[in-house]
PDB file of all heavy atoms in Angstrom:
ATOM      1  N   ASP A 127     151.882 -39.708 135.251  1.00  0.00           N
ATOM      2  CA  ASP A 127     151.470 -39.910 136.637  1.00  0.00           C
ATOM      3  C   ASP A 127     151.772 -41.329 137.129  1.00  0.00           C
ATOM      4  O   ASP A 127     151.928 -41.554 138.296  1.00  0.00           O
ATOM      5  CB  ASP A 127     149.938 -39.671 136.797  1.00  0.00           C
ATOM      6  CG  ASP A 127     149.574 -38.206 136.617  1.00  0.00           C
ATOM      7  OD1 ASP A 127     150.480 -37.349 136.677  1.00  0.00           O
ATOM      8  OD2 ASP A 127     148.402 -37.931 136.426  1.00  0.00           O
ATOM      9  N   ALA A 128     151.869 -42.256 136.166  1.00  0.00           N
ATOM     10  CA  ALA A 128     152.111 -43.652 136.542  1.00  0.00           C
ATOM     11  C   ALA A 128     153.553 -44.048 136.291  1.00  0.00           C
ATOM     12  O   ALA A 128     154.190 -44.699 137.157  1.00  0.00           O
ATOM     13  CB  ALA A 128     151.200 -44.575 135.712  1.00  0.00           C
ATOM     14  N   PHE A 129     154.107 -43.644 135.156  1.00  0.00           N
ATOM     15  CA  PHE A 129     155.459 -44.119 134.776  1.00  0.00           C
ATOM     16  C   PHE A 129     156.387 -42.943 134.730  1.00  0.00           C
ATOM     17  O   PHE A 129     156.243 -41.979 133.950  1.00  0.00           O
ATOM     18  CB  PHE A 129     155.418 -44.824 133.414  1.00  0.00           C
ATOM     19  CG  PHE A 129     154.481 -45.976 133.379  1.00  0.00           C
ATOM     20  CD1 PHE A 129     153.263 -45.865 132.668  1.00  0.00           C
ATOM     21  CD2 PHE A 129     154.754 -47.132 134.017  1.00  0.00           C
ATOM     22  CE1 PHE A 129     152.359 -46.920 132.650  1.00  0.00           C
ATOM     23  CE2 PHE A 129     153.878 -48.237 133.990  1.00  0.00           C
ATOM     24  CZ  PHE A 129     152.666 -48.115 133.300  1.00  0.00           C
ATOM     25  N   SER A 130     157.473 -42.990 135.540  1.00  0.00           N
ATOM     26  CA  SER A 130     158.459 -41.965 135.602  1.00  0.00           C
ATOM     27  C   SER A 130     159.284 -41.876 134.346  1.00  0.00           C
ATOM     28  O   SER A 130     159.307 -42.838 133.525  1.00  0.00           O
ATOM     29  CB  SER A 130     159.383 -42.201 136.807  1.00  0.00           C
ATOM     30  OG  SER A 130     160.217 -43.356 136.585  1.00  0.00           O
ATOM     31  N   ASP A 131     160.070 -40.809 134.194  1.00  0.00           N
ATOM     32  CA  ASP A 131     160.940 -40.679 133.017  1.00  0.00           C
ATOM     33  C   ASP A 131     162.007 -41.777 133.032  1.00  0.00           C
ATOM     34  O   ASP A 131     162.368 -42.318 131.987  1.00  0.00           O
ATOM     35  CB  ASP A 131     161.612 -39.305 133.019  1.00  0.00           C
ATOM     36  CG  ASP A 131     160.647 -38.190 132.722  1.00  0.00           C
ATOM     37  OD1 ASP A 131     159.564 -38.431 132.147  1.00  0.00           O
ATOM     38  OD2 ASP A 131     160.957 -37.027 133.114  1.00  0.00           O
ATOM     39  N   LEU A 132     162.522 -42.140 134.185  1.00  0.00           N
ATOM     40  CA  LEU A 132     163.512 -43.215 134.291  1.00  0.00           C
ATOM     41  C   LEU A 132     162.914 -44.533 133.849  1.00  0.00           C
ATOM     42  O   LEU A 132     163.488 -45.274 133.066  1.00  0.00           O
ATOM     43  CB  LEU A 132     163.993 -43.339 135.733  1.00  0.00           C
ATOM     44  CG  LEU A 132     164.895 -44.577 136.006  1.00  0.00           C
ATOM     45  CD1 LEU A 132     166.183 -44.444 135.215  1.00  0.00           C
ATOM     46  CD2 LEU A 132     165.180 -44.748 137.483  1.00  0.00           C
ATOM     47  N   TYR A 133     161.676 -44.804 134.271  1.00  0.00           N
ATOM     48  CA  TYR A 133     161.013 -46.057 133.899  1.00  0.00           C
ATOM     49  C   TYR A 133     160.846 -46.115 132.394  1.00  0.00           C
ATOM     50  O   TYR A 133     161.170 -47.138 131.767  1.00  0.00           O
ATOM     51  CB  TYR A 133     159.626 -46.110 134.599  1.00  0.00           C
ATOM     52  CG  TYR A 133     158.934 -47.426 134.590  1.00  0.00           C
ATOM     53  CD1 TYR A 133     158.982 -48.245 135.718  1.00  0.00           C
ATOM     54  CD2 TYR A 133     158.250 -47.872 133.456  1.00  0.00           C
ATOM     55  CE1 TYR A 133     158.329 -49.493 135.723  1.00  0.00           C
ATOM     56  CE2 TYR A 133     157.636 -49.118 133.473  1.00  0.00           C
ATOM     57  CZ  TYR A 133     157.669 -49.895 134.584  1.00  0.00           C
ATOM     58  OH  TYR A 133     157.068 -51.127 134.590  1.00  0.00           O
ATOM     59  N   VAL A 134     160.359 -45.031 131.807  1.00  0.00           N
ATOM     60  CA  VAL A 134     160.129 -45.010 130.346  1.00  0.00           C
ATOM     61  C   VAL A 134     161.435 -45.168 129.607  1.00  0.00           C
ATOM     62  O   VAL A 134     161.519 -45.864 128.603  1.00  0.00           O
ATOM     63  CB  VAL A 134     159.396 -43.717 129.941  1.00  0.00           C
ATOM     64  CG1 VAL A 134     159.320 -43.598 128.421  1.00  0.00           C
ATOM     65  CG2 VAL A 134     157.985 -43.684 130.532  1.00  0.00           C
ATOM     66  N   ALA A 135     162.498 -44.495 130.044  1.00  0.00           N
ATOM     67  CA  ALA A 135     163.802 -44.561 129.411  1.00  0.00           C
ATOM     68  C   ALA A 135     164.358 -46.008 129.475  1.00  0.00           C
ATOM     69  O   ALA A 135     164.950 -46.497 128.486  1.00  0.00           O
ATOM     70  CB  ALA A 135     164.775 -43.596 130.039  1.00  0.00           C
ATOM     71  N   MET A 136     164.157 -46.661 130.595  1.00  0.00           N
ATOM     72  CA  MET A 136     164.618 -48.036 130.734  1.00  0.00           C
ATOM     73  C   MET A 136     163.865 -48.964 129.758  1.00  0.00           C
ATOM     74  O   MET A 136     164.431 -49.846 129.120  1.00  0.00           O
ATOM     75  CB  MET A 136     164.506 -48.542 132.154  1.00  0.00           C
ATOM     76  CG  MET A 136     165.433 -47.859 133.121  1.00  0.00           C
ATOM     77  SD  MET A 136     167.132 -48.282 132.917  1.00  0.00           S
ATOM     78  CE  MET A 136     167.147 -49.930 133.473  1.00  0.00           C
ATOM     79  N   ILE A 137     162.563 -48.793 129.702  1.00  0.00           N
ATOM     80  CA  ILE A 137     161.713 -49.585 128.799  1.00  0.00           C
ATOM     81  C   ILE A 137     162.137 -49.364 127.332  1.00  0.00           C
ATOM     82  O   ILE A 137     162.271 -50.286 126.583  1.00  0.00           O
ATOM     83  CB  ILE A 137     160.206 -49.240 128.990  1.00  0.00           C
ATOM     84  CG1 ILE A 137     159.733 -49.670 130.388  1.00  0.00           C
ATOM     85  CG2 ILE A 137     159.393 -49.881 127.887  1.00  0.00           C
ATOM     86  CD1 ILE A 137     159.729 -51.172 130.622  1.00  0.00           C
ATOM     87  N   LYS A 138     162.432 -48.092 127.004  1.00  0.00           N
ATOM     88  CA  LYS A 138     162.880 -47.791 125.641  1.00  0.00           C
ATOM     89  C   LYS A 138     164.209 -48.502 125.331  1.00  0.00           C
ATOM     90  O   LYS A 138     164.363 -49.052 124.255  1.00  0.00           O
ATOM     91  CB  LYS A 138     163.048 -46.256 125.517  1.00  0.00           C
ATOM     92  CG  LYS A 138     163.535 -45.748 124.203  1.00  0.00           C
ATOM     93  CD  LYS A 138     162.351 -45.487 123.325  1.00  0.00           C
ATOM     94  CE  LYS A 138     162.867 -44.796 122.031  1.00  0.00           C
ATOM     95  NZ  LYS A 138     161.820 -44.848 121.022  1.00  0.00           N
ATOM     96  N   ALA A 139     165.120 -48.471 126.307  1.00  0.00           N
ATOM     97  CA  ALA A 139     166.411 -49.170 126.128  1.00  0.00           C
ATOM     98  C   ALA A 139     166.197 -50.659 125.938  1.00  0.00           C
ATOM     99  O   ALA A 139     166.859 -51.283 125.076  1.00  0.00           O
ATOM    100  CB  ALA A 139     167.298 -48.913 127.309  1.00  0.00           C
ATOM    101  N   GLY A 140     165.311 -51.253 126.721  1.00  0.00           N
ATOM    102  CA  GLY A 140     165.032 -52.659 126.555  1.00  0.00           C
ATOM    103  C   GLY A 140     164.413 -53.004 125.233  1.00  0.00           C
ATOM    104  O   GLY A 140     164.737 -54.037 124.631  1.00  0.00           O
ATOM    105  N   GLU A 141     163.518 -52.082 124.753  1.00  0.00           N
ATOM    106  CA  GLU A 141     162.878 -52.310 123.437  1.00  0.00           C
ATOM    107  C   GLU A 141     163.919 -52.250 122.310  1.00  0.00           C
ATOM    108  O   GLU A 141     163.970 -53.126 121.430  1.00  0.00           O
ATOM    109  CB  GLU A 141     161.887 -51.191 123.211  1.00  0.00           C
ATOM    110  CG  GLU A 141     160.454 -51.579 123.278  1.00  0.00           C
ATOM    111  CD  GLU A 141     159.566 -50.388 123.014  1.00  0.00           C
ATOM    112  OE1 GLU A 141     159.877 -49.279 123.379  1.00  0.00           O
ATOM    113  OE2 GLU A 141     158.493 -50.676 122.468  1.00  0.00           O
ATOM    114  N   VAL A 142     164.734 -51.194 122.337  1.00  0.00           N
ATOM    115  CA  VAL A 142     165.721 -51.017 121.269  1.00  0.00           C
ATOM    116  C   VAL A 142     166.736 -52.136 121.271  1.00  0.00           C
ATOM    117  O   VAL A 142     167.128 -52.623 120.242  1.00  0.00           O
ATOM    118  CB  VAL A 142     166.375 -49.596 121.419  1.00  0.00           C
ATOM    119  CG1 VAL A 142     167.547 -49.447 120.486  1.00  0.00           C
ATOM    120  CG2 VAL A 142     165.366 -48.519 121.209  1.00  0.00           C
ATOM    121  N   GLY A 143     167.171 -52.528 122.486  1.00  0.00           N
ATOM    122  CA  GLY A 143     168.191 -53.554 122.576  1.00  0.00           C
ATOM    123  C   GLY A 143     167.662 -54.975 122.485  1.00  0.00           C
ATOM    124  O   GLY A 143     168.452 -55.931 122.410  1.00  0.00           O
ATOM    125  N   GLY A 144     166.340 -55.114 122.442  1.00  0.00           N
ATOM    126  CA  GLY A 144     165.808 -56.496 122.348  1.00  0.00           C
ATOM    127  C   GLY A 144     165.905 -57.284 123.622  1.00  0.00           C
ATOM    128  O   GLY A 144     165.846 -58.504 123.641  1.00  0.00           O
ATOM    129  N   ILE A 145     166.044 -56.564 124.758  1.00  0.00           N
ATOM    130  CA  ILE A 145     166.196 -57.245 126.059  1.00  0.00           C
ATOM    131  C   ILE A 145     165.153 -56.713 127.019  1.00  0.00           C
ATOM    132  O   ILE A 145     165.494 -56.474 128.201  1.00  0.00           O
ATOM    133  CB  ILE A 145     167.647 -57.062 126.635  1.00  0.00           C
ATOM    134  CG1 ILE A 145     168.011 -55.587 126.636  1.00  0.00           C
ATOM    135  CG2 ILE A 145     168.623 -57.872 125.826  1.00  0.00           C
ATOM    136  CD1 ILE A 145     169.307 -55.285 127.398  1.00  0.00           C
TER     137      ILE A 145
END
Side-chain angles (χ1 to χ4, degrees):
D127 291 344
F129 303 107
S130 68
D131 290 339
L132 172 65
Y133 194 101
V134 172
M136 293 290 288
I137 293 295
K138 178 91 173 164
E141 250 180 328
V142 170
I145 54 170

